[in-house]
């Protein structure tokens, strides 16, 4: 039988730096073994455990879209021993990976709908996956609105792509930072406030929210107030995880495990789960 | 196949025959504490202890287990240490039932039955081929409360062979086909007599009637869900020191951590028991901790056992073995906790 503990071997193909302090880096990985590549099927919202022998494993949302072939993308915030070690990797180095794990954004339910994507900080990873996925079959979806907030302009990830998205007339991009700074011409203020200001009509619209707990906590009630029903709001939660398959216990909230029952939950599901955000 | 009788004089033969096919675990003493240890002869078995200090879960889910070894060449899953399958002698009904619960988590891939990747190969390798000899409790302890959760001193659930100590003999009754196949091949048994069966019946009814009446647990899960936000948790957890003794001695607690041990490029990835009582269990790299307070952690343990697990798997994650009651250094008695929950209403008044 298979052994879920054994990571697949991945090769670092490209490393990008997302912020001036080089705390956020983006890694494009390719499969060392063809059989692993062929077996790997995923959808936006899923995550993987990246694994460094001697340091351990940590979960990361997949930032690439299944429509982008040839690589898997992860953005890693340097904050603990595993992420520190990942930041030491160079092009051509190998890293272990387990996945794809968890469920995904309701991409089929988004077809024919307006989509509102709300993101915060470096949690934009799986939202990038979703956005690329939607753009690659643009005609299947109606209006796409993105509200993306960061503490300051440096902390947006995927800045080059954001610039491209902003130029397109088939995405409404709204960027916001917490406090005004010189030279910033976009919005200023917290994400929930901007959502209240620019969110599209809830009619035929699905909202997908991913960000830090405090952003999620204050954004969900705003969406409800705007008239989004519980079945039309989805969010992705995060907890400390280890096994990724609902056994080790630490990501347990209510009767759910974030790693297998989530990380994506509808607002309707969240209402029955205690201490989510 | 009916009940058979093994005279105690022949017990050492039985252990020899069992050892020929199995690695046998039985209650034994380790440094003054009792736990299940590998044994080769009758002398090593502790027949007196009713509930061992440590539960037998560690036989199948060790407190520390190598998942794989790594070095520059790659990853290797270690060869199975024990060539023979595992047999356990002397497992109480509470503990054999706990294995069925753990098997729901590790073995049966209940989340996605078709998907093998959700099964745990380390557990399955040991548990699926095992042979469990249960042991009836003729004199339940004051800390025993198996009768709260559908168990009983002569419960047979989770056993392959049910064994009653009838003084000068062991009366054995096969529970599963595996148990009956094994008994059939042995030579040291005699058929049981009507008298033997009457003795077993009497011991069962005496043991059952010696236990205190169970608390009503039918709506425990719902009550817990209702009281999630209540201040009662601060009251309940006030004396808890979050030492984790309850989770480590518990036969059903299965939370674990995965750690790397090694130097340079060579080492082992191991899994070790972990505990929801520890703040670091849920501490995220950012510093955010969703269960930073002791009251949140105590609530989590109680909710997981009596609300969340039942919702997901259809039964309480507690067999009433009483180990947490005995092990707790501050005498936090889970039965009292559940009684408090049962008697609590939202006005903050404890009834009865």
């Amino acid at each position: 039988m298979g052994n879920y503990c054994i990571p697949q071997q991945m090769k670092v193909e490209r490393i990008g730096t997302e912020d001036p302090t080089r705390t956020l880096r983006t890694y494009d990985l390719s499969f060392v073994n063809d059989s692993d590549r062929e077996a790997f099927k995923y959808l936006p919202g899923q995550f993987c455990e990246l694994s460094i022998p001697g340091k351990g494993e940590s979960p990361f949302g997949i930032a690439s879209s299944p429509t982008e072939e040839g690589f898997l993308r992860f953005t890693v915030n340097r904050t603990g021993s595993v992420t520190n070690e990942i930041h030491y990797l160079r092009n051509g180095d190998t890293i272990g990976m387990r996945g794809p794990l968890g469920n995904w954004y309701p991409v089929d339910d988004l077809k024919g709908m307006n989509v509102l994507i709300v993101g915060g900080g470096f949690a934009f990873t799986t939202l990038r996956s979703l956005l690329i996925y939607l753009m690659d079959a643009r005609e299947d979806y109606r209006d796409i609105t993105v509200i993306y907030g960061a503490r300051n302009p440096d902390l947006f990830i995927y800045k080059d792509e954001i610039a491209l998205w902003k130029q397109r007339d088939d995405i409404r991009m709204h960027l916001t930072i917490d406090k005004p700074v010189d030279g910033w011409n976009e919005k200023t203020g917290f994400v929930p406030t901007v959502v209240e200001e620019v969110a599209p009509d809830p009619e035929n619209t699905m909202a997908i929210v991913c960000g830090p707990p405090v952003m999620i906590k204050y954004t969900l009630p705003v969406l409800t107030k705007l008239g989004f029903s519980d079945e039309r709001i989805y969010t992705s939660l995060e907890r400390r995880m280890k096994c990724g398959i609902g056994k080790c216990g630490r990501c347990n909230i209510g009767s759910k495990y974030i790693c297998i029952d989530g990380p994506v939950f509808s607002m309707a599901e969240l209402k029955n789960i205690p201490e989510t955000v | 196949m009916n009940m058979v009788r093994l005279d105690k004089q022949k017990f050492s033969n039985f252990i020899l025959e069992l050892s020929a096919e199995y690695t046998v675990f039985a209650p034994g003493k380790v440094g003054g504490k009792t736990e299940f240890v590998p044994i080769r002869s009758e002398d090593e078995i502790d027949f007196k202890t009713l509930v061992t200090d440590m539960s037998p879960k560690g036989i199948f889910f060790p407190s520390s287990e190598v998942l794989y070894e790594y070095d520059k060449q790659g990853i290797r899953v270690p060869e199975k240490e024990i060539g023979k399958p595992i047999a356990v002698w002397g497992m109480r009904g509470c503990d054999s039932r706990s294995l069925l619960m753990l098997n729901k988590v590790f073995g049966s891939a209940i989340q996605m039955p078709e998907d093998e990747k959700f099964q745990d190969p380390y557990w399955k390798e040991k548990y699926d081929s095992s042979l469990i000899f249960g042991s009836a409790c003729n004199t339940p302890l004051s800390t025993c409360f198996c009768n709260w959760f559908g168990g009983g001193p002569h419960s047979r659930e989770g056993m392959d062979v049910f064994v009653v100590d009838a003084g000068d003999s062991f009366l054995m009754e096969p529970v599963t086909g595996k148990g009956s196949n094994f008994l059939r091949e042995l030579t040291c048994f005699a058929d049981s007599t009507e008298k033997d069966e009457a003795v077993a019946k009497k011991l069962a009814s005496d043991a059952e009637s010696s236990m205190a009446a169970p608390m009503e647990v039918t709506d425990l899960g719902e009550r817990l869900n209702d009281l999630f936000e209540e201040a009662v948790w601060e009251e309940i957890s006030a004396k808890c020191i979050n030492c984790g003794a309850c989770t480590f001695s518990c036969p059903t607690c299965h939370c674990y951590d995965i750690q790397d041990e090694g130097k340079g490029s060579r080492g082992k990835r191991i899994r070790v028991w972990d505990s929801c009582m520890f703040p670091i269990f849920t501490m995220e790299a950012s510093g955010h901790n969703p269960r930073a307070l002791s009251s949140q952690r105590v609530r989590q343990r109680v909710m997981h056992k009596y609300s969340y697990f039942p919702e997901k798997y259809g039964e309480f994650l507690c067999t009433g073995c009483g180990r947490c009651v005995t092990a707790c250094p501050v005498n936090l008695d889970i039965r009292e906790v559940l009684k408090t929950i049962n008697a609590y209403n939202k006005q903050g008044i404890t009834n009865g």
Side-chain angles (χ1 to χ4, degrees), chain A residues 135-233:
Chain A
M135 299 309 290
D136 282 340
R138 186 65 190 86
E139 65 283 2
D140 288 351
Y141 311 94
R142 288 155 78 168
D143 289 353
I144 296 177
T145 307
V146 177
I147 299 168
Y148 182 15
R151 282 205 304 279
N152 63 57
D154 288 340
L155 293 178
F156 288 99
I157 55 176
Y158 317 135
K159 293 181 190 69
D160 294 348
E161 284 182 310
I162 289 174
L164 296 175
W165 296 332
K166 276 176 65 69
Q167 286 167 17
R168 294 180 66 140
D169 55 10
D170 57 355
I171 311 177
R172 291 199 190 102
M173 282 295 290
H174 301 279
L175 302 179
T176 183
I177 55 170
D178 289 2
K179 287 179 205 152
V181 295
D182 287 345
W184 179 253
N185 300 318
E186 310 280 340
K187 295 191 176 301
T188 303
F190 294 122
V191 166
T193 318
V194 177
V195 169
E196 190 154 9
E197 197 183 309
V198 304
D201 192 299
E203 182 78 22
N204 295 319
T205 305
M206 294 273 268
I208 311 284
V209 182
C210 185
V214 66
M215 187 205 92
I216 296 177
K217 183 175 177 175
Y218 291 105
T219 300
L220 298 183
V222 168
L223 290 169
T224 303
K225 187 177 146 194
L226 290 172
F228 285 82
S229 68
D230 291 344
E231 293 73 26
R232 294 272 180 88
I233 304 173

Side-chain angles (χ1 to χ4, degrees), chain A residues 1-5 51-52 54-57 240 242-243 247-248 250 252 254-255 257 260-261 274, chain B residues 68 70 105 111 118 120 122 228 254-258 260 269 274 280-281 283 291 300 304 308 311-312:
Chain A
M1 68 181 290
N3 184 332
Y4 67 91
C5 300
S51 177
I52 301 269
K55 295 295 173 188
E57 294 182 328
R240 193 166 184 209
K242 286 279 178 171
C243 73
K247 304 197 189 307
C248 83
R250 71 195 60 229
N252 174 226
S255 64
Y257 287 98
I260 50 169
D261 301 309
Chain B
Y68 58 80
Y70 59 83
V105 176
Q111 296 94 354
F118 287 91
D120 188 276
Y122 304 91
F228 189 83
H254 59 268
C255 290
Y256 61 87
D257 193 9
I258 299 172
D260 286 7
R269 181 156 290 173
D274 205 343
I280 200 170
F281 185 65
M283 171 79 103
R291 290 200 288 269
Q300 167 65 20
H304 189 219
Y308 304 157
E311 196 180 323
K312 198 172 189 82

